[in-house]
Amino acid sequence: MSYSETPAAVQGYHIPVLLAQCLDLLSIKPDGVYLDATLGGGGHARAILDRLGPGGRLIGVDRDADALECAKGWRDPYGDKFEAIRASFAGLRQALGDPQEPFLDGVLFDLGVSSHQLDVAGRGFSFRAGGPLDMRMDARDAMTAEDIVRTWDADEIKDALRKYGEERYAGRIASAIVRERDRIKTTADLAAVVKRAVPGQGASERIHPATRTFQAFRILINDEMEALEQGLEQAVSLLRPGGRIVVISYHSLEDRIVKNAFREWSKGCICPPRMPLCRCGHTATVKILTRKPVVPTDEEIRENPRARSAKARGAERLPV
């Protein structure tokens, strides 16, 4: 299937982003074994399952119990071809039974927050609705946004906003949160405080001024960057030769981790240039398939504005 032949959006609680492009990059074999590491509403998963034959199999993983509950509504037609497991990126290998040999023909990561998590106010991810100060992808985790708002000092919040949100006005926002913390009861309250703290905001602004603050809190609460690094390492180690890994990211921090990981895995000898003989023994483990990230078409962005910042990268496991 070419990029222009995008299948109709799968009905569910989200529209799968870069669907045709990701299917192309995965190069799905009808009898292959695949892992969707971010099951979500199942849009990508169902498209993969529809390409598998009787001998194929897909394992869907998500740390959010809502995703596994959603899967109960669409999984029946796929029978034994599909299995859903609750786990985080960092626990992929353990969730898969700690396999001793590579067995996957492809892995897909669709990073960030799902449409369901944004749309359900009770999850606390959205600044457009007055939800609780939560933002946990896994309700079993301890830290919430309320813990940050209520107990962190201004310097701690500022550092988090700079590191995970790349927020220009981190100091102003952090001071405002601490100053008004007793009045911040909901995500809408938090967004209002941030908006007042950011200068020069008007109707012409492309994104809401609280976007980077909510991003930073969410990444911190869910330990997303460290989990992503661990998940990528575990996933690529489970790929058979010729197996492919595809990752969709939505902001620069995620994309940087993916790009750097692929670049490191694709290197051969890393000895100093003047060394006459290789002593490092380092060999490339993947071939990069996307020298530049794949991005959505203008048509997809019109149909699904949440796709606008998406970037997909792919790599293929080499024989070792």
Side-chain angles (χ1 to χ4, degrees), residues 159-176:
D159 290 346
L161 296 181
R162 285 178 174 169
K163 182 176 182 179
Y164 298 118
E166 300 179 314
E167 174 55 68
R168 177 183 178 186
Y169 299 107
R172 296 175 65 116
I173 293 170
S175 296

Side-chain angles (χ1 to χ4, degrees), residues 141-283:
D141 292 341
M143 182 188 290
T144 67
E146 185 165 13
D147 295 323
I148 299 173
V149 170
R150 296 276 174 264
T151 66
W152 285 34
D153 65 33
D155 284 340
E156 290 174 314
I157 296 174
K158 178 181 69 176
D159 290 346
L161 296 181
R162 285 178 174 169
K163 182 176 182 179
Y164 298 118
E166 300 179 314
E167 174 55 68
R168 177 183 178 186
Y169 299 107
R172 296 175 65 116
I173 293 170
S175 296
I177 291 172
V178 171
R179 185 172 59 251
E180 300 189 50
R181 63 181 15 151
D182 291 340
R183 287 181 277 178
I184 301 175
K185 308 296 184 184
T186 69
T187 53
D189 296 335
L190 176 59
V193 168
V194 174
K195 186 173 183 178
R196 289 194 295 270
V198 175
Q201 295 298 323
S204 62
E205 292 298 321
R206 190 173 66 87
I207 64 171
H208 192 286
T211 299
R212 285 179 287 271
T213 295
F214 275 62
Q215 171 187 301
F217 279 19
R218 190 202 80 222
I219 290 173
L220 176 66
I221 290 162
N222 295 288
D223 195 22
E224 291 181 34
M225 297 300 102
E226 184 174 346
L228 174 58
E229 291 176 350
Q230 294 180 43
L232 292 174
E233 287 279 359
Q234 293 177 38
V236 79
S237 73
L238 296 173
L239 284 175
R240 294 169 173 154
R244 293 184 170 192
I245 180 170
V246 178
V247 186
I248 309 171
S249 63
Y250 294 88
H251 58 74
S252 60
L253 297 177
E254 293 172 340
D255 185 56
R256 193 176 304 138
I257 288 173
V258 177
K259 179 174 65 175
N260 289 342
F262 284 11
R263 181 184 296 157
E264 186 64 26
W265 298 336
S266 67
K267 287 180 180 178
C269 173
I270 55 174
C271 291
R274 295 182 180 180
M275 188 169 289
L277 296 174
C278 174
R279 297 184 181 277
C280 70
H282 189 276
T283 58

Side-chain angles (χ1 to χ4, degrees), residues 45-66:
R46 280 178 280 185
I48 294 170
L49 283 161
D50 287 340
R51 290 193 169 202
L52 296 179
R57 183 179 171 219
L58 174 71
I59 305 165
V61 174
D62 207 295
R63 66 193 296 185
D64 190 336
D66 284 359

